Amino acid sequence: MIHHIPNVLSKEQVAEFRQLMATANWVGGKVTAGTLSASVKQNQQLSENDPLTHHLSELVIQAIWKNPVFQAAALPHQIIPPLFNRYDEHESFGFHVDNSIRLIRGTSQQMRTDLSCTLFLSEPEEYDGGDLVIEDTYGYHEVKLPAGDVVLYPATSLHEVSSITRGTRFASFFWVQSLIRDDQKRHLLFNLDESIRQLRKDHDDAYPEVMKLTNIYHNLIRMWSEL
Ligand code: NI
């Protein structure tokens, strides 16, 4: 399932990010690509060792961990520290698949990429082209969100960033290892969680079915989670 998570960063935070990124030292994006995806990747990134990457990455992690929609949709176990990219005119990242296992930078620890995330840092009117195109069983989904919003999608999907025809597109990208590996199970828990939230709005928390359904939600997580 593809989730749109609005307002992960405020417009003020986005403006701060953009100011810092304007004078940053951008390098060729092939540095973090696998051999297959390197051949279709034409963009720029902040180096993983750049102090600015660490600073901005920390701010994204803080914002994402406290976002309730992200929590409900991703059920995160681990988050790979975010990276940052830019696409100028004529740059693109053709269809590719993300690596299934990644090293957490600065450690010898590996994690499985269950979910891919893009945090948009340019407003849609700042550039033409540059859609994130995600393929799933229903076809192709073109995603271009307001700055500060996140799209979360299964890392199993083939995807591309189409060529920029005007302007510059800035974004942050990262991966999540979920407590719930299976996309369908995670989707079911998300729907159950949404229904419980709605019931809690319509009734008070002492409503017996709210308690019972919450118990089922947690017991399913106990049954399915991997730690
Ligand atoms: Ni990718």
Side-chain angles (χ1 to χ4, degrees), residues 167-183:
T168 300
R169 174 197 194 269
F170 291 94
S172 174
F173 61 101
F174 52 96
W175 293 271
V176 176
Q177 180 172 330
S178 179
L179 292 166
I180 309 296
R181 181 178 190 166
D182 185 272
D183 194 51

Side-chain angles (χ1 to χ4, degrees), residues 147-170:
D149 290 13
V150 163
V151 63
L152 186 73
Y153 59 100
T156 49
S157 327
L158 282 174
H159 55 276
E160 72 159 358
V161 175
S162 67
S163 184
I164 299 279
T165 54
R166 177 189 64 86
T168 300
R169 174 197 194 269
F170 291 94

Side-chain angles (χ1 to χ4, degrees), residues 179-191:
L179 292 166
I180 309 296
R181 181 178 190 166
D182 185 272
D183 194 51
Q184 285 180 320
K185 287 178 181 163
R186 203 184 316 109
H187 182 38
L188 197 147
L189 287 167
F190 179 75
N191 286 340

